[in-house]
Amino acid sequence: MNAPLAPAEDLLKVRDLRKRFAVRGGIFSRTVDQVHAVDGVSFEIGKGETLGLVGESGCGKSTTGRCILRLIEPSSGEVWFQGNNVTRMGGDELQKLRRDMQIIFQDPYASLNPRLKVGAIIGEALTIHKLAPTQKAMEDRVVQLLETVGLQPDHMHRFPHEFSGGQRQRIGIARALAVEPKLIVCDEPVSALDVSIQAQVINLLEDLQEEFGLTYLFIAHDLSVVEHISTRVAVMYLGRVVEIAPSRELYDNPLHPYTEALLSAVPIPDPTVKRKRIMLQGDVPNPIRPPSGCHFHTRCPIARPDCAQRVPELRESKPGHWVSCHYSG
Amino acid sequence: MAGSTPVSLSADAPASPQLAVQPRKARSISPALETWRRFRRHTLAVTGAIVLLILVSGVLLGPYVWPVAINDIDFAAKLQGPSLAHPLGTDDLGQDLLARMMYGGRISLAVGFAAMLVALTVGVLVGSVAGMASGWLDAALMWLTDLFLALPTLPLLLLVMYLFRDSMKKVLGVEGGAFVLIVVVIGGLRWMPVARLVRAQFLSLREKEFVEAARALGASKVRQVVQHILPNALGPVIVVGTIDVAAAIIFESTLSFLGLGFPSDVPTWGSMLRDAKDYLDIAAHWALFPGGAIFLTVLAINFIGDGLRDAFDPRRVL
Ligand SMILES: Nc1ncnc2c1ncn2[C@@H]1O[C@H](COP(=O)(O)OP(=O)(O)O)[C@@H](O)[C@H]1O
Ligand code: SF4
Ligand SMILES: [Mg+2]
């Protein structure tokens, strides 16, 4: 690509991102196969926007998020952040990027170091990036961050195991906020939480977005969680984005058969609204040998023979509504 | 440790987050303190710790209470059983066994702990580097580890002692040279399990989300290791370390037994046992005390290791 700068309103631009993991086996741990975890993903996120990224477990959502943050090196493709090519960054530039992009994890237990006090966990970023000149400044900032996420100052002296799942998730959010990031990848931040707590955490994320002008890539494995918070939603299937549309539009007029299937699993609050119920046949195919042509053809209710031959391009079916299917939309 | 007191997710107060947790008066419980609490409930381990403490303070402080020379030869009193003059009896030269036991205990325990430190230091270093570096460095280090594991211990030990004893003697004196040599050899032959363990811990820990979070914040590799990975990897390592102490004490006894340990006039528990073996029928006490001391120490340390393992293991409910 000959380096076109992303339009000003796009904070993040992902272009044909691919990640293959080597599967090792046999004697001498040879690479015997490859998992096509992310298989050509493109999207952009506008400043202040929330892009929901939805798909079944194992379809490559987390890998996409981690490649964007360069926690995993993508196999190919490009990630542009504020007009800079993240995939080409090294050393100091990457270190600076760490202040702009952060991540919130799914598992509130695995995401906090059990041997550090909360103050040290949240304060680590301040040490790394030298954001607090004195011990006092550090403590003040930690207290401020704790209060921002709805925790109390004295919580900084406690260890993670003394908190509940929802509170731990708040600590993880405070840690991410410490560097004043512009973009936060939220990797299923509420999936592990009790339903009653989910709403609290989502509300907190929305408040923070408003307060600090944050941009989110919000990953979830079901559409109902994403509907509430997202400006636009991208649906993934086996490493590819099959549909992107503004949130409302996607729910009202899903074009891709896979999106329709996902939606038919979401309970509708209004009982008078009828939605045709689509049950998917079979399991998600193995990403080591994804189906040819359209990845979805093995389970698609409207598939035709040539779906197994031709890969559908993601095309703009209506303004702002993109779909990758030969026969729908 | 993590999850040792898993708070159920549903325990979240649905009330406003500010009220979610009232500040508790109680001091915050650190993972270390939690481990200590769990250890305390392990009766055998606590007994072991007390026994070891008595043994250690006995050999360290005992000589001040019982200031008798270890090489006071008195043929008139040879091979005597315990008496007021010699609480643990005497050996074939009429030397006081209590004094020799305390002196020998210092050496045996010092060898045990020093060899453990050598094994842990080398093992943690090799394991950490291998666990963080992937690719050829990891492969090379693991190859080295396997090579050392495949070495036949005893012949190698004999060879090393034979080759280096004299030169070490010149540099560090007779006792010092033997001590360093024995510690290095025992430590050098026992670091491999530690290295493998540490590497395995690193491989799993470095994929943990809290380490990934540190990476996302821009933490250097050194910082990731020192702050996040190593502290969480050390529990099982300490357990292996306790076993190493016991193993080193036994090893030193074996060396003494073969006449390859300290010079023959320096008592260690192992060498006393060796000297006593020819008099088992007429002076059983002579073998009994060093033998019993080794047995007690090794047993106590193994129980401590057991207790530590349980205390470090969050899944284990005591
Ligand atoms: N480090 C890895 N090594 C090998 N395979 C991986 C690795 N991480 C993820 N995968 C595989 O890549 C695919 C996508 O994983 P992931 O991005 O975690 O999916 P999701 O977050 O959507 O559940 C899965 O098939 C998974 O098994
Ligand atoms: S391209 Fe064919 S198989 Fe793929 S979703 Fe469309 S109709 Fe189904
Ligand atoms: Mg995931």
Side-chain angles (χ1 to χ4, degrees), chain A residues 66 69 71-72 95 98 101-103 105-117 121 124-125 127-129 147 149-150 152 154-155 157-159 161-168 170 175-176 179 192-194 196-197 200, chain B residues 1-24 26-32 34-35 208-220 223-224 227-229 231-232 235 312:
Chain A
R66 282 165 168 80
L69 285 155
L71 290 173
I72 296 176
Q95 192 69 0
R98 300 282 177 223
M101 285 191 197
Q102 275 303 311
I103 180 164
F105 296 96
Q106 171 173 11
D107 183 345
Y109 289 91
S111 60
L112 304 179
N113 184 343
R115 304 216 157 250
L116 289 182
K117 288 187 180 177
I121 290 173
E124 177 164 32
T127 313
I128 292 172
H129 296 281
E147 282 170 346
V149 298
Q152 290 163 6
D154 69 308
H155 284 159
H157 304 296
R158 303 251 187 95
F159 286 92
H161 69 83
E162 298 173 68
F163 294 89
S164 64
Q167 290 173 321
R168 283 165 159 252
R170 287 172 193 270
R175 169 178 60 196
V179 292
L193 300 180
D194 203 65
S196 58
I197 310 303
Q200 287 180 16
Chain B
M1 250 203 143
S4 54
T5 49
V7 190
S8 113
L9 291 178
S10 54
D12 259 282
S16 94
Q18 265 76 14
L19 300 173
V21 152
Q22 290 300 327
R24 268 185 278 150
R27 200 154 54 95
S28 185
I29 308 159
S30 74
E34 176 69 21
T35 304
K208 283 264 155 42
E209 290 182 346
F210 64 81
V211 181
E212 205 165 29
R215 268 201 295 278
L217 289 170
S220 63
R223 190 183 182 89
Q224 289 169 38
Q227 279 278 75
H228 300 287
I229 302 181
N232 284 289
F312 278 124

Side-chain angles (χ1 to χ4, degrees), chain A residues 56-63 66 106 187-188 219, chain B residues 209:
Chain A
E56 282 161 295
S57 190
C59 71
K61 308 180 295 292
S62 298
T63 306
R66 282 165 168 80
Q106 171 173 11
D187 191 356
E188 308 204 29
I219 298 173
Chain B
E209 290 182 346

Side-chain angles (χ1 to χ4, degrees), chain B residues 35-43 46 311:
Chain B
T35 304
W36 166 238
R37 286 187 172 177
R38 295 165 70 85
F39 182 79
R40 243 178 15 194
R41 271 176 281 171
H42 200 292
T43 323
V46 173

Side-chain angles (χ1 to χ4, degrees), chain A residues 11-12 79-86 97 100-101 182-183:
Chain A
L11 188 68
L12 182 82
V79 176
W80 293 78
F81 183 79
Q82 290 186 315
N84 298 312
N85 191 340
V86 172
L97 181 84
D100 288 329
M101 285 191 197
K182 299 189 172 83
L183 173 80

